[in-house]
Amino acid sequence: MATTIEQHEETKAKAEPELLGLLAEFDDPDELIEASMKVRDAGYRKWDTHTPFPLHGIDEAMGIKWTILPWIVAGCGLTGGTIAVGMQYFMNAVDYPFLISGKPLFSIPASIPITFELSVLLAAFGAFFGMLGLNQLPKLYNPIFKSDAFRRVTNDRFFISMDAKDAKFSEIDTGEFLKSLKPIHVEEFWSDTESAKLPRSLTLGLSLVGVVMLLSVGLVAYLRTTTSPNPRIHIIQDMDFQPSLKAQNTTNLFPDGREIRPNIKGTIPRGQFKDDNIPFYYGLKYLPEDQDVVVIALQDEKKADDKKATDKKAPTDKTPAEKPAAPAVVDPIAAKLDKLPWVTEFPVPVTEKLMARGKERYRIYCSACHGLGGEGDGLVSLRAMELLQGTWVKPASYHTANVRKLPIGRLYHSITNGVRKMPAYGSQVPPEDRWAIILYLKALQKSHQIDANTISEAEKRKLRDTK
Amino acid sequence: MASVTAEPIDTTIEVPGKRTPLVTGAHDYGTVTEAVCRLAECKTPLSWYVALGISASLMGMLFGLIGYLIITGVGVWGNRSPVFWGWPIVNFVFWVGIGHAGTLISAILFLFRQDWRTGINRAAEAMTIFAVICAGVFPGIHIGRVWLAYWLFPIPNQMSMWPNFRSPLLWDVFAVSTYATVSLLFWYMGMIPDLATLRDRAKGKIQQFAYGLLSLGWNGSSRHWHRYERAYLLLAALAAPLVLSVHTIVSFDFAVSQLPGWHTTIFPPYFVAGAVFSGFAMVLTLMIPARSICGIKDLLTDRHLENMTKVIIATGSMVGYAYAMEFFIAWYGGNRYEMFAFINRAFGPYAWAYWIMVSCNVISPQLFWIKKIRTTPWMIFVVCIFVNIGMWFERFVITVTSLSRDFLPSSWGYFQPTIVDVLMLIGSFGLFMTLFLLFCKFMPMVAMAEVKSVMPRPSGKGDH
Amino acid sequence: MDRFLFPKWANTIVPVLGALGAVGALYVIGMVAFGASPETTDVGYQPEQPLPFSHALHAGKLKLDCRYCHNTVEVAGHAAIPPTSTCLNCHSGADANGVVNTVSIHSTSAKLAPIRESQATGKSMQWRRVHDLPDYVYFNHSAHVRRGVSCVACHGRVDKMEKVTQVEPLSMGWCLKCHRNPEPNLRPPEFVTKLDWEADGDPHEVGEKVRKELNLNPSTNCSTCHR
């Protein structure tokens, strides 16, 4: 077999390529093994053999030490198992403990399958990536690939490569030594002078990708810090919007477009037949015979279709009310109201609880205008008065003789239907709460009538402190 | 250069004291390379394009139907109360089963030092991966709202919820995804040296680039081979129990639920045997035509086929035993619901499916006891087709008959697939064949390096 | 000799791409975690209302109780958007005769024109809903408000908002956070609408006391909200 030393003229011509090493080609695996033993015995350390398939016996011939790969795999496998057990325990027993079919939150047998799978998965990653890492692959560029003969290393030829970095390496001696191993061919391989730097276009392209990535980071930051008048985009609707009817939505199902349905005309909810409990629902001892008055007194809710009521109400509103504390105005309606049989006793049991409830409701619905103490100095009223718009009237104080003497049934009527310029609160405050408010109002009135001398010193001090 | 004996030998006859060669014909290292690489390097035959065209259109149909399913909802399937699992799950279990042969051949036979595996392992592994891909499609779309598939994995989410690790369905997610990943790694790692071969032989620059990229700069270094072999052995050792675990866990999907006909302890071994059975049948179904078309009969010899038929007899008999044992236990256990489930299986409205299953799975593989049949490729092919059909019906019988008879007779039902069900199954074969054809064309179909390592060395020395 | 060999920089780019891949993976995780989170997609929703109603003025400066308008909140699942009549308590316009029947402020304001239109036509105001849960979620205001969960816990300091904005993600995880550990959001029920309330002492202890007194065991079962 002819042995020659080829030199790459092209590569040599370039600016000082370095000699990287020598390649010797064999065509028989057993010859390679014999040659390898000789290289090993000659004391070379940085050298390798290249074969198309794993050659049995070459490891001993070359003196390759055992790889640490099994340990990496074992480590990865154990990590996987630990992660799996930890994950299952944390997720099902700690972070999201959820009882299903009375099964224990965590049990060893139930966690075996996943523990096994994850151990195997990570161990397999360890084996594959560990092998690549230890072999320093992927290594797409390799000067050795420039050799044309070397293309057959993955086919049917066997090579010994001597690294020029080996301490014992010298171009001539090593070359002679290789020839003595009777290869079919020996050649040199040289380094490239081209730079390992990334081409500019690539660097630019990568930077561009980075910039685009930063843009979306910016977008997210923007979305998180700003408000938007547009609702979230529902890419997938799932069942976010169902055709079921909901409170206060609209529908095509009914001519009035409301989803929430009013009571059917002429029906009364069970237990709410007002005539069963006239004092409670009307504030009257009984319903008077005079229907004309009754209509006014009973207009619990303003009904647009109830012409009679609006016709009768209009004159009431036209009455000047600049002096709310003034004596009863000469007004046929008011006069009729005065004559009605208003209740004077609470139609509900008077309890501590009702008083507390009244206080709370008073502060929600009444104090805005009437003030916390009932003097007609609520924040809303104060602000409205400031604006001097004429359409606002200072609300009545509860502490005038006129108001004090009003029967509680009359007060109930005022809350329900409004009085003079005060709008009706019947739709906002249910009857029970109106009575509670009246109870609290009565207490408020009483609190302004107490003779200071009847209060003990301790209580006075307490009052002073709370103020 | 030396080569093995040139005269034809019948590799199906064992001569005591003499090793039967695994590669027939006058082959040396170079001609093995030549034989395997030919398909990737030569002009592609028209038949390949025709086959790819058909498979790809079927695959397109599958994807189209998946789109239709996603847009319309799972109502396009025949899944109705009480049979909510229906065809998609039948298809899933069927494909996962098919996906068992590859890694079994690669891993378990590797560990048992069955060198004959080298001829078939690459194609079988590829088949495994493609079958697992097909399998993965079905449970993925079976959940109905595919965009919520991430709920299957323990990913932190705005709902502050975690999957239920006590459910076998979740075990299945882990088992199948781990199996797919490890099989892929195993397959790819095995291909790296062969891809390097393709790289070094490639004429076109595109091929040189593509194979160069895929082969990661493999240069055949013995130091690399040393670690590579270690890694391969370790992967095999990991994959072997994994193969067994996957179908075990798939069987848990059924066995852990308390439904007569499902709730049995025989399921894991029975499923694994069935999976190997169907997987080998599918390998044979694919390899018998492929080895003729690709001209690799010398590497994939009659002996390979015969060995595989032997595995089929063994696993087929195990499956038959399991069928019998199910009936025995149903009777012996004395549970009337269990008894009913099995009588219903064999004589109820699905009796037709049951008897198709029994005749295809239990009776047909027994033909392989006859040497003539197991050494005649076309006969093997026919029997394997029957096994494939039978194994699909096995999953159908298990899934559908048990579900169709709910505990309350008022909720009994009869499952009827829709045309979408049927077309999706056909489409999944399209997906499978498309991937397999692409593989045959562009990837090394036989593990060249491994075949070379079991060939006699030219000098006649060495341990093989 | 004309064959493709990878250039020398191909070896440089492998670790670069590896690092970029790792960064990219983190990036994708980060983008999904932060970008797709309800904190990004839902928080900050501030729809334009048919008229510039200011909660900051009404609930803040004038100290109107939340329940003055949203009066069903304690008894119903749904906290009512007030009907026009509630607005008319103070902002009534003139009737057909040119008379303003009840006390009214800004009765001719242009900004309040939609209210007067609604008053005249009887058609509802088209308020835009700010806080909207998906329809597969059952949420009951009364169940929360009466058990000491303040408005502020979900809606933020509405009394400081000129325009109401969604400040909480209203995601399932966010709901569960409180259902699993309610103490930080509990206060004596009488203070639920007092948005500037601060616990007298350790908020956790106060919450724990409320929890004990009212015997609160918020459920984390699926059917609590998905029914």
Short mmCIF file of all heavy atoms in Angstrom, two decimals, chain B residues 281-323:
data_model
loop_
_atom_site.label_atom_id
_atom_site.label_comp_id
_atom_site.label_asym_id
_atom_site.label_seq_id
_atom_site.Cartn_x
_atom_site.Cartn_y
_atom_site.Cartn_z
N ALA B 281 -46.62 -6.91 14.77
CA ALA B 281 -47.41 -7.14 13.56
C ALA B 281 -47.28 -5.93 12.64
O ALA B 281 -47.13 -6.07 11.42
CB ALA B 281 -48.87 -7.37 13.93
N MET B 282 -47.30 -4.73 13.23
CA MET B 282 -47.21 -3.54 12.40
C MET B 282 -45.81 -3.42 11.78
O MET B 282 -45.67 -3.03 10.62
CB MET B 282 -47.55 -2.30 13.23
CG MET B 282 -47.66 -1.03 12.44
SD MET B 282 -48.88 -1.11 11.10
CE MET B 282 -50.28 -0.36 11.89
N VAL B 283 -44.78 -3.74 12.56
CA VAL B 283 -43.42 -3.70 12.01
C VAL B 283 -43.34 -4.62 10.79
O VAL B 283 -42.84 -4.23 9.73
CB VAL B 283 -42.38 -4.13 13.06
CG1 VAL B 283 -41.00 -4.26 12.43
CG2 VAL B 283 -42.31 -3.13 14.18
N LEU B 284 -43.88 -5.81 10.95
CA LEU B 284 -43.84 -6.75 9.82
C LEU B 284 -44.66 -6.24 8.64
O LEU B 284 -44.22 -6.32 7.49
CB LEU B 284 -44.35 -8.12 10.27
CG LEU B 284 -43.33 -8.93 11.07
CD1 LEU B 284 -43.97 -10.14 11.69
CD2 LEU B 284 -42.16 -9.34 10.18
N THR B 285 -45.82 -5.69 8.94
CA THR B 285 -46.66 -5.16 7.86
C THR B 285 -45.90 -4.12 7.06
O THR B 285 -46.03 -4.04 5.84
CB THR B 285 -47.93 -4.52 8.46
OG1 THR B 285 -48.44 -5.39 9.46
CG2 THR B 285 -48.97 -4.29 7.40
N LEU B 286 -45.12 -3.31 7.76
CA LEU B 286 -44.40 -2.25 7.06
C LEU B 286 -43.12 -2.78 6.41
O LEU B 286 -42.77 -2.40 5.29
CB LEU B 286 -44.02 -1.14 8.02
CG LEU B 286 -45.13 -0.23 8.50
CD1 LEU B 286 -44.58 0.75 9.51
CD2 LEU B 286 -45.73 0.51 7.32
N MET B 287 -42.42 -3.65 7.11
CA MET B 287 -41.08 -4.03 6.66
C MET B 287 -41.11 -5.00 5.50
O MET B 287 -40.20 -5.02 4.68
CB MET B 287 -40.26 -4.61 7.82
CG MET B 287 -39.95 -3.63 8.91
SD MET B 287 -39.46 -2.02 8.32
CE MET B 287 -37.85 -2.38 7.67
N ILE B 288 -42.14 -5.85 5.43
CA ILE B 288 -42.16 -6.84 4.35
C ILE B 288 -42.20 -6.16 2.98
O ILE B 288 -41.36 -6.44 2.13
CB ILE B 288 -43.29 -7.87 4.56
CG1 ILE B 288 -42.91 -8.76 5.75
CG2 ILE B 288 -43.51 -8.71 3.31
CD1 ILE B 288 -43.99 -9.67 6.21
N PRO B 289 -43.13 -5.20 2.77
CA PRO B 289 -43.04 -4.49 1.50
C PRO B 289 -41.81 -3.59 1.42
O PRO B 289 -41.17 -3.50 0.37
CB PRO B 289 -44.32 -3.66 1.45
CG PRO B 289 -44.94 -3.73 2.77
CD PRO B 289 -44.34 -4.84 3.53
N ALA B 290 -41.45 -2.95 2.51
CA ALA B 290 -40.38 -1.96 2.46
C ALA B 290 -39.05 -2.61 2.08
O ALA B 290 -38.27 -2.06 1.31
CB ALA B 290 -40.25 -1.25 3.81
N ARG B 291 -38.79 -3.80 2.61
CA ARG B 291 -37.48 -4.39 2.34
C ARG B 291 -37.36 -4.81 0.87
O ARG B 291 -36.26 -4.81 0.32
CB ARG B 291 -37.20 -5.57 3.28
CG ARG B 291 -38.07 -6.77 3.03
CD ARG B 291 -37.66 -7.95 3.87
NE ARG B 291 -38.17 -9.16 3.23
CZ ARG B 291 -37.58 -10.34 3.29
NH1 ARG B 291 -36.46 -10.49 3.96
NH2 ARG B 291 -38.11 -11.38 2.69
N SER B 292 -38.49 -5.18 0.25
CA SER B 292 -38.43 -5.48 -1.17
C SER B 292 -38.23 -4.22 -1.98
O SER B 292 -37.36 -4.14 -2.85
CB SER B 292 -39.72 -6.15 -1.64
OG SER B 292 -40.10 -7.14 -0.74
N ILE B 293 -39.03 -3.19 -1.66
CA ILE B 293 -38.98 -1.96 -2.44
C ILE B 293 -37.62 -1.30 -2.29
O ILE B 293 -37.01 -0.84 -3.25
CB ILE B 293 -40.11 -1.01 -2.01
CG1 ILE B 293 -41.46 -1.65 -2.33
CG2 ILE B 293 -39.98 0.34 -2.67
CD1 ILE B 293 -42.63 -0.99 -1.65
N CYS B 294 -37.10 -1.28 -1.08
CA CYS B 294 -35.85 -0.57 -0.84
C CYS B 294 -34.64 -1.45 -1.13
O CYS B 294 -33.50 -1.00 -1.01
CB CYS B 294 -35.77 -0.09 0.60
SG CYS B 294 -37.19 0.87 1.06
N GLY B 295 -34.86 -2.71 -1.43
CA GLY B 295 -33.74 -3.57 -1.75
C GLY B 295 -32.80 -3.79 -0.59
O GLY B 295 -31.58 -3.74 -0.73
N ILE B 296 -33.34 -4.00 0.57
CA ILE B 296 -32.46 -4.26 1.70
C ILE B 296 -32.74 -5.65 2.28
O ILE B 296 -32.64 -5.88 3.48
CB ILE B 296 -32.59 -3.18 2.80
CG1 ILE B 296 -34.07 -2.88 3.07
CG2 ILE B 296 -31.85 -1.93 2.41
CD1 ILE B 296 -34.28 -2.00 4.27
N LYS B 297 -33.10 -6.57 1.37
CA LYS B 297 -33.42 -7.92 1.84
C LYS B 297 -32.22 -8.61 2.47
O LYS B 297 -32.37 -9.52 3.27
CB LYS B 297 -33.90 -8.77 0.66
CG LYS B 297 -35.39 -8.61 0.39
CD LYS B 297 -35.85 -9.62 -0.64
CE LYS B 297 -37.34 -9.54 -0.87
NZ LYS B 297 -37.77 -10.38 -1.97
N ASP B 298 -31.03 -8.16 2.07
CA ASP B 298 -29.84 -8.80 2.63
C ASP B 298 -29.62 -8.40 4.08
O ASP B 298 -29.02 -9.12 4.85
CB ASP B 298 -28.60 -8.38 1.82
CG ASP B 298 -28.65 -8.98 0.43
OD1 ASP B 298 -29.40 -9.96 0.25
OD2 ASP B 298 -27.96 -8.46 -0.45
N LEU B 299 -30.08 -7.21 4.41
CA LEU B 299 -29.89 -6.73 5.78
C LEU B 299 -31.08 -7.12 6.64
O LEU B 299 -30.96 -7.31 7.85
CB LEU B 299 -29.73 -5.21 5.78
CG LEU B 299 -28.62 -4.69 4.87
CD1 LEU B 299 -28.59 -3.18 4.91
CD2 LEU B 299 -27.28 -5.25 5.30
N LEU B 300 -32.22 -7.20 6.00
CA LEU B 300 -33.45 -7.57 6.71
C LEU B 300 -33.86 -8.92 6.16
O LEU B 300 -34.71 -9.03 5.28
CB LEU B 300 -34.50 -6.51 6.38
CG LEU B 300 -35.22 -5.90 7.57
CD1 LEU B 300 -35.92 -4.65 7.13
CD2 LEU B 300 -36.15 -6.87 8.20
N THR B 301 -33.27 -9.93 6.70
CA THR B 301 -33.38 -11.25 6.08
C THR B 301 -34.65 -11.98 6.52
O THR B 301 -35.38 -11.52 7.40
CB THR B 301 -32.18 -12.11 6.47
OG1 THR B 301 -32.25 -12.28 7.88
CG2 THR B 301 -30.88 -11.45 6.11
N ASP B 302 -34.88 -13.12 5.87
CA ASP B 302 -36.02 -13.95 6.26
C ASP B 302 -35.93 -14.36 7.72
O ASP B 302 -36.93 -14.56 8.38
CB ASP B 302 -36.06 -15.21 5.38
CG ASP B 302 -36.47 -14.87 3.97
OD1 ASP B 302 -36.89 -13.71 3.75
OD2 ASP B 302 -36.37 -15.74 3.09
N ARG B 303 -34.70 -14.42 8.19
CA ARG B 303 -34.54 -14.84 9.58
C ARG B 303 -35.10 -13.77 10.52
O ARG B 303 -35.70 -14.08 11.56
CB ARG B 303 -33.08 -15.08 9.88
CG ARG B 303 -32.89 -15.61 11.28
CD ARG B 303 -31.46 -15.90 11.59
NE ARG B 303 -31.34 -16.08 13.02
CZ ARG B 303 -30.25 -15.79 13.70
NH1 ARG B 303 -29.20 -15.35 13.07
NH2 ARG B 303 -30.20 -15.98 14.98
N HIS B 304 -34.88 -12.52 10.14
CA HIS B 304 -35.46 -11.44 10.95
C HIS B 304 -36.98 -11.59 11.03
O HIS B 304 -37.57 -11.50 12.09
CB HIS B 304 -35.15 -10.07 10.33
CG HIS B 304 -33.72 -9.65 10.49
ND1 HIS B 304 -32.80 -9.80 9.48
CD2 HIS B 304 -33.08 -9.11 11.53
CE1 HIS B 304 -31.63 -9.34 9.90
NE2 HIS B 304 -31.77 -8.92 11.15
N LEU B 305 -37.57 -11.84 9.86
CA LEU B 305 -39.02 -11.99 9.83
C LEU B 305 -39.46 -13.16 10.69
O LEU B 305 -40.41 -13.07 11.47
CB LEU B 305 -39.50 -12.21 8.39
CG LEU B 305 -39.11 -11.13 7.37
CD1 LEU B 305 -39.77 -11.42 6.04
CD2 LEU B 305 -39.50 -9.75 7.85
N GLU B 306 -38.72 -14.24 10.56
CA GLU B 306 -39.12 -15.43 11.31
C GLU B 306 -39.03 -15.20 12.81
O GLU B 306 -39.92 -15.58 13.57
CB GLU B 306 -38.25 -16.62 10.91
CG GLU B 306 -38.87 -17.93 11.37
CD GLU B 306 -37.90 -19.09 11.30
OE1 GLU B 306 -36.78 -18.91 10.78
OE2 GLU B 306 -38.26 -20.17 11.78
N ASN B 307 -37.96 -14.54 13.21
CA ASN B 307 -37.82 -14.24 14.64
C ASN B 307 -39.00 -13.42 15.14
O ASN B 307 -39.52 -13.65 16.23
CB ASN B 307 -36.53 -13.47 14.89
CG ASN B 307 -35.34 -14.41 14.97
OD1 ASN B 307 -35.51 -15.62 15.05
ND2 ASN B 307 -34.15 -13.85 14.95
N MET B 308 -39.40 -12.47 14.31
CA MET B 308 -40.51 -11.63 14.75
C MET B 308 -41.82 -12.41 14.82
O MET B 308 -42.63 -12.18 15.71
CB MET B 308 -40.63 -10.42 13.84
CG MET B 308 -39.54 -9.39 14.14
SD MET B 308 -39.89 -7.80 13.46
CE MET B 308 -39.26 -8.03 11.83
N THR B 309 -42.00 -13.34 13.88
CA THR B 309 -43.24 -14.13 13.96
C THR B 309 -43.25 -14.95 15.23
O THR B 309 -44.31 -15.19 15.81
CB THR B 309 -43.39 -15.08 12.76
OG1 THR B 309 -42.27 -15.96 12.73
CG2 THR B 309 -43.52 -14.33 11.46
N LYS B 310 -42.07 -15.36 15.68
CA LYS B 310 -42.02 -16.13 16.93
C LYS B 310 -42.47 -15.26 18.10
O LYS B 310 -43.19 -15.73 19.00
CB LYS B 310 -40.62 -16.67 17.17
CG LYS B 310 -40.29 -17.82 16.23
CD LYS B 310 -38.85 -18.25 16.40
CE LYS B 310 -38.48 -19.35 15.41
NZ LYS B 310 -37.03 -19.57 15.38
N VAL B 311 -42.04 -14.00 18.09
CA VAL B 311 -42.49 -13.09 19.15
C VAL B 311 -44.01 -12.95 19.07
O VAL B 311 -44.71 -12.90 20.08
CB VAL B 311 -41.80 -11.73 19.02
CG1 VAL B 311 -42.35 -10.76 20.06
CG2 VAL B 311 -40.30 -11.87 19.19
N ILE B 312 -44.51 -12.91 17.83
CA ILE B 312 -45.96 -12.77 17.66
C ILE B 312 -46.71 -13.98 18.19
O ILE B 312 -47.74 -13.83 18.86
CB ILE B 312 -46.29 -12.49 16.17
CG1 ILE B 312 -45.87 -11.06 15.85
CG2 ILE B 312 -47.76 -12.69 15.89
CD1 ILE B 312 -46.18 -10.62 14.46
N ILE B 313 -46.19 -15.17 17.94
CA ILE B 313 -46.87 -16.35 18.50
C ILE B 313 -46.90 -16.24 20.02
O ILE B 313 -47.93 -16.46 20.65
CB ILE B 313 -46.15 -17.67 18.14
CG1 ILE B 313 -46.03 -17.82 16.64
CG2 ILE B 313 -46.89 -18.86 18.74
CD1 ILE B 313 -45.27 -19.07 16.24
N ALA B 314 -45.75 -15.89 20.59
CA ALA B 314 -45.67 -15.84 22.06
C ALA B 314 -46.66 -14.82 22.61
O ALA B 314 -47.49 -15.14 23.47
CB ALA B 314 -44.25 -15.49 22.49
N THR B 315 -46.60 -13.59 22.09
CA THR B 315 -47.47 -12.56 22.65
C THR B 315 -48.92 -12.81 22.29
O THR B 315 -49.82 -12.56 23.10
CB THR B 315 -47.02 -11.17 22.18
OG1 THR B 315 -46.86 -11.20 20.76
CG2 THR B 315 -45.73 -10.76 22.82
N GLY B 316 -49.17 -13.36 21.09
CA GLY B 316 -50.53 -13.68 20.70
C GLY B 316 -51.14 -14.71 21.63
O GLY B 316 -52.31 -14.61 22.02
N SER B 317 -50.34 -15.66 22.03
CA SER B 317 -50.85 -16.67 22.95
C SER B 317 -51.10 -16.07 24.32
O SER B 317 -52.07 -16.43 25.00
CB SER B 317 -49.84 -17.82 23.08
OG SER B 317 -49.54 -18.31 21.80
N MET B 318 -50.24 -15.14 24.71
CA MET B 318 -50.47 -14.48 26.00
C MET B 318 -51.79 -13.72 25.98
O MET B 318 -52.57 -13.76 26.94
CB MET B 318 -49.36 -13.46 26.28
CG MET B 318 -48.05 -14.06 26.71
SD MET B 318 -46.92 -12.70 27.08
CE MET B 318 -45.39 -13.43 26.59
N VAL B 319 -52.03 -13.05 24.85
CA VAL B 319 -53.27 -12.30 24.73
C VAL B 319 -54.46 -13.26 24.79
O VAL B 319 -55.45 -13.01 25.49
CB VAL B 319 -53.26 -11.48 23.42
CG1 VAL B 319 -54.62 -10.93 23.11
CG2 VAL B 319 -52.25 -10.35 23.52
N GLY B 320 -54.34 -14.39 24.10
CA GLY B 320 -55.42 -15.37 24.13
C GLY B 320 -55.64 -15.89 25.53
O GLY B 320 -56.78 -16.04 25.99
N TYR B 321 -54.55 -16.12 26.24
CA TYR B 321 -54.64 -16.57 27.63
C TYR B 321 -55.38 -15.52 28.46
O TYR B 321 -56.23 -15.85 29.29
CB TYR B 321 -53.24 -16.82 28.17
CG TYR B 321 -53.19 -17.05 29.65
CD1 TYR B 321 -53.49 -18.29 30.19
CD2 TYR B 321 -52.84 -16.02 30.52
CE1 TYR B 321 -53.46 -18.50 31.55
CE2 TYR B 321 -52.79 -16.22 31.88
CZ TYR B 321 -53.10 -17.46 32.39
OH TYR B 321 -53.07 -17.66 33.75
N ALA B 322 -55.04 -14.25 28.22
CA ALA B 322 -55.68 -13.18 28.99
C ALA B 322 -57.18 -13.14 28.72
O ALA B 322 -57.97 -12.96 29.64
CB ALA B 322 -55.05 -11.83 28.64
N TYR B 323 -57.57 -13.33 27.46
CA TYR B 323 -59.00 -13.36 27.15
C TYR B 323 -59.69 -14.45 27.95
O TYR B 323 -60.75 -14.24 28.56
CB TYR B 323 -59.25 -13.62 25.66
CG TYR B 323 -58.77 -12.55 24.72
CD1 TYR B 323 -58.57 -12.83 23.36
CD2 TYR B 323 -58.52 -11.26 25.16
CE1 TYR B 323 -58.14 -11.85 22.49
CE2 TYR B 323 -58.08 -10.27 24.29
CZ TYR B 323 -57.88 -10.57 22.95
OH TYR B 323 -57.44 -9.62 22.09
#
